[in-house]
Amino acid sequence: MKLGEVVSIVEGTLLFDADLNVEVPCAGAADLMSDVLAFAEPGSVLLTGLCNPQVVRSVEMADMVAIIFVRGKHPPPETVALAKEKGIPSVTTPHTMFEMCGRLYEAGLRGCDISCRIDLVR
Amino acid sequence: MPGITRAQELVYELKIEDVMTREVITVPPQISMTELREILREHRISGVPVLENGVLVGIISIEDLIKALAAGEMGATVEKKMTRDPVFLYADEPVVMAVNRFRRPGFGRFPVVDNGKNLIGILTRGDIIEGLLKKLEVEYHEEEIRHYRASHIFEDIVSDCTSLILRYNIVARDLEHAGEASSNIKLVLTRLEIPRQHVRRVAIATYEAEMNIVLHADEGGEIVAEVQPRQIVIRVTDTGPGIADIEQAMQPGFSTASRWMRELGFGAGMGLSNIQSCVDEMRLESPPGTGTFLEAVIYLNREGEK
């Protein structure tokens, strides 16, 4: 699934202009950054309710490609600035984490821990 | 980052004066269309600003010339056929302003003026494309040179065992800069052309260690990454409270984090086990009252395995 499609499914608003023509193999959702660092696959998207700059750092370290901030949360300027500096497209959506995961799953996107590893084996 | 995004950024960063053509050919309003034809042909251009006593009064293009030719009015003056009060751009505006103006049909070029409205340049679509390409080429070249310089260090420096030591001081409770050291380590390793999978493992391990220092060590600490040709050794030292029971601390989910640490998204008890799953060797020491010492090794000989 293309990142642009992900953004439109979650009805997300971009926090700054970004290239959405990127293929996204899978996604993960967590508020615990250590969980993110444990499960994230390179190239995946993160859904989170956490808004501090550590979200961007975690995504950067794990080679994830985009952040979706759920439940209408608008991250503080330092988070947005860091995401922009690191070139990590970020969007905010008014919907809840559960709802967003559900819609993306329904549209065919799978969680990091399963789909990506299957892809790697192939 | 994909090139297209950088190009999009550049149209905001670059100013019109950075990409415009500075040597502008102009004509006075009194010359005939026939004379204009000669000027356009001679300079191989498709339009010129019209200046009267140094003041911009109009713009005339090859389209106006074709119309005059069709109407048999080549003897008419430029003044009669030109577009009056032409749309112009200011030299210090970002290129994106010009890009938006060019979206409207009928505009092939814009005169560029300074703040005193003196004509100082002219801008076509071609100028914009050329300006962007030149800038992208320069940036690409700069990054290439950095890659070249950095990645050849081990070949250029001859010794029995060359290693590059990166040392970072980590300040306790400095949440604003937390993660910067790991980010810089990641950048350096990328420039050294170490395979991505290895860089990612080092980045995750050092980031967890960095957050441990920021959150737990009252006096801060230090991260040292030693890059050797075949492995990367990470040494993390802090003067924090130490770890009472190392075996217990290694258990996924075990945590001593306080509420505020958890609110930051850390302290879920996954840090040390995350580090362990990223590295090939790991040693953790924490004698009571002396802080914590962590040494981790990542092998570079296998293709990102672990």
Side-chain angles (χ1 to χ4, degrees):
Chain A
M1 190 182 286
K2 288 272 191 245
L3 183 55
E5 213 178 317
V6 173
V7 172
S8 80
I9 289 169
V10 302
E11 297 171 39
T13 309
L14 272 171
L15 297 176
F16 48 85
D17 271 346
D19 178 16
L20 302 181
N21 192 28
V22 181
E23 189 63 31
V24 175
C26 55
D31 289 346
L32 290 172
M33 291 304 110
S34 283
D35 279 352
V36 173
L37 294 169
F39 72 62
E41 292 288 340
S44 60
V45 169
L46 174 68
L47 292 97
T48 186
L50 197 69
C51 286
N52 63 47
Q54 266 62 51
V55 174
V56 182
R57 290 290 183 201
S58 302
V59 164
E60 180 197 0
M61 299 312 155
D63 287 340
M64 297 177 93
V65 296
I67 308 169
I68 296 164
F69 294 100
V70 298
R71 217 164 56 74
K73 292 178 189 177
H74 199 96
E78 59 267 29
T79 302
V80 179
L82 188 62
K84 200 172 174 190
E85 183 195 321
K86 299 295 170 188
I88 298 165
S90 303
V91 302
T92 172
T93 171
H95 306 292
T96 64
M97 180 104 100
F98 184 85
E99 179 69 23
M100 289 305 90
C101 293
R103 286 197 203 172
L104 288 171
Y105 195 91
E106 204 170 42
L109 195 65
R110 291 293 176 265
C112 276
D113 43 354
I114 306 166
S115 62
C116 290
R117 289 195 185 130
I118 292 170
D119 281 346
L120 282 178
V121 173
R122 278 183 205 144
Chain B
M1 192 197 277
I4 189 77
T5 309
R6 185 67 191 125
Q8 284 166 343
E9 273 179 26
L10 279 179
V11 299
Y12 287 91
E13 279 175 26
L14 285 174
K15 294 208 161 74
I16 285 169
E17 60 194 343
D18 298 329
V19 300
M20 70 183 187
T21 298
R22 287 178 182 272
E23 285 112 51
V24 196
I25 291 143
T26 62
V27 294
Q30 298 81 17
I31 66 162
S32 71
M33 293 303 275
T34 308
E35 286 171 285
L36 175 73
R37 186 180 66 183
E38 280 312 303
I39 291 168
L40 295 184
R41 191 162 65 183
E42 192 186 323
H43 295 97
R44 294 169 177 266
I45 49 177
S46 54
V48 286
V50 184
L51 288 194
E52 188 167 32
N53 305 322
V55 179
L56 181 69
V57 292
I59 192 157
I60 190 147
S61 74
I62 205 156
E63 275 184 55
D64 300 313
L65 191 76
I66 291 165
K67 278 183 208 157
L69 197 63
E73 295 175 343
M74 290 299 284
T77 60
V78 161
E79 189 170 20
K80 290 251 164 55
K81 299 289 173 190
M82 70 184 185
T83 305
R84 289 178 184 278
D85 301 322
V87 181
F88 55 83
L89 296 164
Y90 286 102
D92 57 358
E93 287 181 304
V95 168
V96 67
M97 295 293 292
V99 172
N100 290 335
R101 287 272 165 81
F102 275 121
R103 284 212 178 109
R104 277 186 285 167
F107 291 96
R109 68 203 56 73
F110 290 104
V112 182
V113 299
D114 62 14
N115 286 326
K117 295 211 177 167
N118 303 303
L119 183 77
I120 57 165
I122 191 155
L123 188 76
T124 63
R125 288 186 179 88
D127 291 326
I128 297 180
I129 293 168
E130 204 177 315
L132 287 177
L133 286 176
K134 264 188 199 152
K135 182 82 179 158
L136 284 171
E137 188 187 31
V138 167
E139 289 187 353
Y140 177 75
H141 194 61
E142 280 169 359
E143 192 57 23
E144 281 282 287
I145 288 170
R146 280 180 181 162
H147 269 280
Y148 177 81
R149 284 191 191 138
S151 65
H152 285 66
I153 188 169
F154 291 114
E155 291 157 38
D156 293 346
I157 296 171
V158 181
S159 83
D160 288 338
C161 178
T162 304
S163 70
L164 187 65
I165 295 179
L166 316 170
R167 201 177 290 273
Y168 300 90
N169 293 319
I170 312 300
V171 180
R173 310 276 192 267
D174 182 3
L175 295 166
E176 194 187 330
H177 297 104
E180 237 169 53
S182 309
S183 183
N184 286 331
I185 291 172
K186 194 175 186 217
L187 178 70
V188 172
L189 298 184
T190 304
R191 284 190 182 153
L192 287 169
E193 293 187 340
I194 287 165
R196 277 188 68 161
Q197 311 91 309
H198 295 306
V199 174
R200 184 171 181 271
R201 288 162 56 204
V202 173
I204 292 177
T206 53
Y207 183 50
E208 287 282 11
E210 187 175 356
M211 289 310 293
N212 275 346
I213 298 177
V214 172
L215 297 175
H216 295 286
D218 302 325
E219 310 276 319
E222 185 184 65
I223 295 178
V224 175
E226 184 176 346
V227 188
Q228 298 172 4
R230 290 172 188 283
Q231 61 181 22
I232 294 172
V233 183
I234 301 161
R235 296 187 189 90
V236 185
T237 28
D238 71 50
T239 51
I243 300 169
D245 184 339
I246 288 181
E247 207 173 307
Q248 191 182 32
M250 290 297 298
Q251 295 297 316
F254 176 80
S255 176
T256 58
S258 52
R259 200 184 146 82
W260 70 271
M261 298 176 188
R262 289 171 197 262
E263 277 171 5
L264 284 167
F266 286 85
M270 295 301 295
L272 288 173
S273 73
N274 268 358
I275 294 176
Q276 191 162 45
S277 65
C278 282
V279 302
D280 295 297
E281 282 175 33
M282 173 168 156
R283 192 160 62 89
L284 185 61
E285 287 171 12
S286 190
T290 57
T292 304
F293 175 73
L294 172 89
E295 186 175 83
V297 183
I298 284 142
Y299 304 149
L300 299 177
N301 50 353
R302 293 175 300 171
E303 259 313 302
E305 273 178 40
K306 171 68 194 178

